[in-house]
Amino acid sequence: MPTAAFSNDPGAASLTSLAGVGPALRESLAKLGLLTLQDLWFHLPLRYEDKTRISSIRDLRVGDTAQVEGRIEAIEKGFRFRPQLRIAISDSTGADDSQSTLLLRFFHFNNAQVNQLAIGTRLRCYGEVRRGQHSLEMVHPQYQRLAEDAASEVEERLTPIYPTTEGLGQKRLGGLIQRALALLPQDELLELVPPALREANAAISLRDALLYMHRPPPDADLTQLSLGTHPAQRRLAFEELLAQHLSLRQLRNRLRAHAAPVLRGDGKLRRRFLAALAFAPTKAQARVAAEVARDLREAAPMLRLVQGDVGSGKTVVAALAALAAVEAGRQAALMAPTELLAEQHFINFHKWISPLGIEVVWLAGKLKGKARTAALASLRGPAQIAIGTHALMQEGVEFDRLGLVIIDEQHRFGVDQRLALRDKGRAGSEIPHQLVLTATPIPRTLAMTAYADLDVSIIDELPPGRTPVATVVLNGTRRSEVVERIRAACAEGRQAYWVCTVIEESEVLEAQAAEVAHAELAAALPGMRIGLVHGRMKPAEKQAAMDAFKRGEISLLVATTVIEVGVDVPNASLMVIENAERLGLAQLHQLRGRVGRGTAKSSCVLLYQAPLSATARARLDVLRETNDGFRIAEKDLELRGPGEVLGTRQTGEAAFRVADLARDAHLLPAVQRAGEVLMREHPDLVARLIARWIGHAARFAGA
């Protein structure tokens, strides 16, 4: 949304209107998305440095970030293990007192730097205080030399530290922002949200909030600012969340402005499908399937997200939607993020739907030669349902009459990828319906804001017979006990998973870890049939191992996290996750969901390597306490933040400048109310708000 379009907006002026902004500086600023005066006003500090006072070295404590002054008492340059420059300074609190001496340590320095420093030189330093071997120290502090007779003047305000880029230092950027703030208009020109809509979230004006954030006074509460709870931050967070919400609403309106095929089938295929199932759908599945069917009968494109906890039966809902498309003479395509999950869907659909006389085609990146040629030809003609990976949206893939796009685990795909598959079915102004699925429950607060472009359905009921999984957390030193537990469980005819994790995401390292674990477990459990699955195996090998496990020919399956979703073996009742502290809550919950799918009592053992960080301990404790995916999702949001929980979103990406969805959830009802009124009564303000907060980062606006 080009801000220059708003000629009456004082913030829309180009940065070249500021003295000193030439072509080179303008290019550097553009790398940060800073093109207008308004962009500088809303380019907010990451944090603050307190250089408003000088601390005594004697009073320093480990963990403090402080500014001190002192004279150089000693200089030592060493190269024993790696280059190192050590400078001892002391202040007037007494040279004989060890607490009045501070060590400055540098690992990156040059001779010119060293030559400027001499014993007796006065230095002012700013940095974090750490515990050294013999005294307190600062590693790579900021420092400046002081003239002998220079007065100890300090900053009048806290020093803001801004996001910046190579070639653009803090001092230059900060000075530029201060010049831009001098042009900040009065409230009547700056405010875009009518007072009645701001409610109690705007006790402070927008102008005062911006000035406070850029120029906090010396007595500002740094703790409050770091937590994001200052009234100035709440005022800005409210407006940022509102802009985010409005941008997604606009995206939805643009998408809904397209036409879509009316998928009004006679229901015969769906009735035959349901009659042949070995189980009756739950009430929640039936409710969500009805919501989807209602959307498909509309001439505007469906944009629906179906959430359901592990094992809640989203695949049945997807199959019913696909059959509705087929009944109406259209094709459906289901895309999954991994080959294993896509294969699982293909197996289920083939088993359920092929007996109905419907052709289901498989397409993945590793499908080559004649098989790929045949699949592509089917999509252009007789095939009614396609299932695959990213390969479905690649160049050369053409559909005959695509009417429905289903995307599983949609948080792993960007909006651009979702649109690429959708556009395979574009015919003039008509686009296919879209159904997106996730087995990762998304907290209500997150869904309200980050998924405002989608209708949300929740399958909040598990099929009957599913048993809660008992979870235990054990130190890795008790690995041998866990191996014995596997021996006992498999001797009783049950099956188990052993999941290997590595620190770095690497198929090679994961494969090596799984192969090592497989060899060790084979040695510890002689005579037991042990299988192996990892991402480096050929698809046929992976499928053969999985099939053998499903048939009960393998008692223990050693695997990487490729089994995270989609694998369903009811007889598997024990899951061991090695190095569980390396995984996030959502992934641990997904893995745990591979067991407890039958009637046998099931367990999950989380093995960890000590010492555990506080966050890792909190994650494992949550898993031990609950099987509720939505409660786990709320905790995941609290621990990791919205960006991590959502994954790649790209339009309306949850990379906020001020707002935090977990912290600011209480603002969301007011945000939604304000959004409704603005969309209806002030569309001109909507465009300006989006330009202010999202502006040049808004993508796919015309999708």
Side-chain angles (χ1 to χ4, degrees), residues 1-14 36-39 41 189 192 250 254 682-696:
M1 185 71 63
T3 52
F6 309 112
S7 57
N8 62 335
D9 191 338
S14 168
T36 66
L37 276 180
Q38 176 169 267
D39 293 336
W41 298 338
L189 291 175
L192 297 180
Q250 274 202 348
R254 287 192 174 97
H682 304 283
D684 56 322
L685 297 180
V686 170
R688 291 175 64 186
L689 266 171
I690 293 172
R692 168 180 287 176
W693 284 99
I694 299 171
H696 318 287

Side-chain angles (χ1 to χ4, degrees), residues 252-294:
R252 174 185 173 80
N253 288 347
R254 287 192 174 97
L255 288 169
R256 294 279 291 177
H258 289 282
V262 175
L263 304 182
R264 192 188 301 274
D266 58 14
K268 288 182 180 178
L269 288 174
R270 282 170 283 179
R271 286 193 292 273
R272 288 174 59 195
F273 163 69
L274 290 171
L277 281 179
F279 52 87
T282 63
K283 290 180 181 178
Q285 283 175 305
R287 184 190 71 247
V288 172
E291 290 169 353
V292 172
R294 186 177 63 243

Side-chain angles (χ1 to χ4, degrees), residues 449-478:
T449 301
Y451 291 94
D453 57 330
L454 299 169
D455 294 312
V456 179
S457 293
I458 299 176
I459 304 177
D460 52 4
E461 180 183 5
L462 290 179
R466 290 297 300 267
T467 55
V469 179
T471 303
V472 295
V473 179
L474 296 177
N475 193 309
T477 56
R478 299 175 65 181

Side-chain angles (χ1 to χ4, degrees), residues 626-668:
T626 184
N627 282 275
D628 183 339
F630 285 92
R631 185 180 162 199
I632 288 167
E634 293 283 357
K635 189 67 177 178
D636 204 21
L637 175 62
E638 181 185 321
L639 291 173
R640 291 199 298 158
E644 287 294 316
V645 172
L646 287 171
T648 306
R649 182 95 171 110
Q650 295 184 14
T651 293
E653 187 175 354
F656 293 107
R657 297 183 229 179
V658 188
D660 179 288
L661 287 172
R663 183 193 67 218
D664 299 323
H666 65 286
L667 298 176
L668 293 174

Side-chain angles (χ1 to χ4, degrees), residues 323-345:
L323 288 172
V326 173
E327 287 175 355
R330 293 287 186 143
Q331 293 170 305
L334 190 159
M335 182 168 72
T338 67
E339 288 213 358
L340 194 63
L341 179 53
E343 286 166 5
Q344 184 74 33
H345 281 310

Side-chain angles (χ1 to χ4, degrees), residues 499-519:
V499 180
C500 304
T501 64
V502 293
I503 295 173
E504 297 177 39
E505 283 193 24
S506 160
E507 277 197 350
V508 175
L509 292 176
E510 285 184 342
Q512 289 172 350
E515 286 165 355
V516 168
H518 181 266

